[in-house]
Amino acid sequence: MTNTTSRKIRTRFAPSPTGYLHIGGARTALFSWAYARHHQGCFILRIEDTDLERSTPESVQAILDGMQWLGLQHDEGPFYQMQRMDRYRSVLQHMLDNGQAYYCYASREELDAMREAQRAAGEKPRYDGRWRPEPGKTLPPIPDGVQPVVRFRNPLDGHVNWNDRVKGPISFANQELDDLIIARSDGTPTYNFCVVIDDWDMQITHVIRGDDHVNNTPRQINILQALGAELPEYAHVPMILGDDGERLSKRHGAVSVLQYEQDGFLPEALLNYLARLGWAHGDDEMFSLAQFTDWFDLNAISRSPARFNREKLLWLNQQYIKVADPHRLSALIRPLIEQSIGQISDHPPLHDVVGLLRERAATLNELASSAALFYRCDEPPADHLTEHLDPAAIPALRQLMHHFQHTAWERPLIHDLVKQAVHESGLKMPKIAMPLRLMTTGTTHTPAIDATLHLLGREHVVNRLQRYLPIN
């Protein structure tokens, strides 16, 4: 294969818009993007939309939105194959004129019968070259009313060899490769042909893609060589499995990348996790995108399938939330809170609430749910109040309420007053803290009681305590 080391690195991500951008596609995009960035190269986005029956504008937009959310910005594109039909047809005609391709008039019924006969003879089903022009060969008469396909004239002898940057040396015998259809009977070029012309025209130096494309590669290499094109290097990345070892499916988390946004994941957490699916830099688990691009190398990609584990992703997302800027997190969760409970006030400041809660949340959705209690003033269920408001604690709680009204509203002072109430009453902390939580927030699940009360504010806390503490 041609050595690409002296050429400017150019990679591409080329999804088909027949569905959403999924985890496997996002990892391929990440690896291609990172390789280009690592080598100060160019990352190209190409939409392979020639499957007219399955491609949809909605899928195209989902791919673009997913790439935007992940922050994987392309340098060129997006290019659309359907807008390049004239170029494909021009190359097809050139190959027909040069004898590198030919028309095949075999009907579907003929091809089915041919394959059945081959199977019956214990042979591998493959096109038998009946319409392939050869010196001294007489071709069948052209049937009336049949629109032919165009087939590539694949070499009959030798091997296709390449040194895969992930899998190592790979070789295919040409006699195992039949003459590939490169244009359908309606004149539409096929996937393998369009990919070759695109990679050629866009001067792609490195094709990084899933290993389900390995069988396409020898065919594509042969077409490129027939055209006299410079060959890219290939890196076929093993698939992603579920944590049970089965092929990744929706039940494992193989959903749209944008679903992870809706589920409250940070894009940098998802990218970090995807980077570790089949690639490693020592024992590093958590790293920035800048570090990843600095470290990334195709040689460090594992040859074995990676396993997707949602619990590990949740853990990593929690680590990112813990260190994220509270103001950024506030901007992300405010719409989630307001979608649930309506417009919220600026008291307490949402970034202060986030600063208190972020270490406890695995997702932005959890963070928004926890933060909402500071703005919606839930009423405590009567049975919970009966359970947690011990009559023996009421005098201490009343005294605490009195102190709250006349003490500077600072967290250390609130902390000391609660401890004093526990000490003077002779009760344990939960007997004081639990009813305080319940009466002021409507729930017993809050952060530290002094921090919670401080953020809620004196007026809210005193008003709520006055509502629930019985008056003699």
Side-chain angles (χ1 to χ4, degrees), residues 22-73:
H22 54 77
I23 285 295
R27 185 187 64 169
T28 298
L30 173 62
F31 285 0
S32 299
W33 177 90
Y35 193 74
R37 290 291 178 270
H38 179 83
H39 292 281
Q40 294 78 52
C42 187
F43 175 61
I44 296 158
L45 179 60
R46 190 169 78 215
I47 306 297
E48 298 186 340
D49 56 351
T50 56
D51 187 342
L52 298 180
E53 291 185 1
R54 299 172 60 215
S55 297
T56 66
E58 293 78 15
S59 294
V60 171
Q61 194 59 51
I63 291 168
L64 298 178
D65 290 346
M67 295 288 284
Q68 178 71 29
W69 179 66
L70 289 171
L72 300 179
Q73 301 299 327

Side-chain angles (χ1 to χ4, degrees), residues 39 68 75 95 99 122 171 178 226 250 253 295 306 352 356 359 403 414-415 452 456:
H39 292 281
Q68 178 71 29
D75 303 303
M95 296 179 73
S171 179
D178 56 8
K250 287 185 178 181
W295 295 337
D352 287 342
L356 175 64
E359 292 202 4
H403 288 315
I414 296 171
H415 175 82
T452 300
L456 287 170

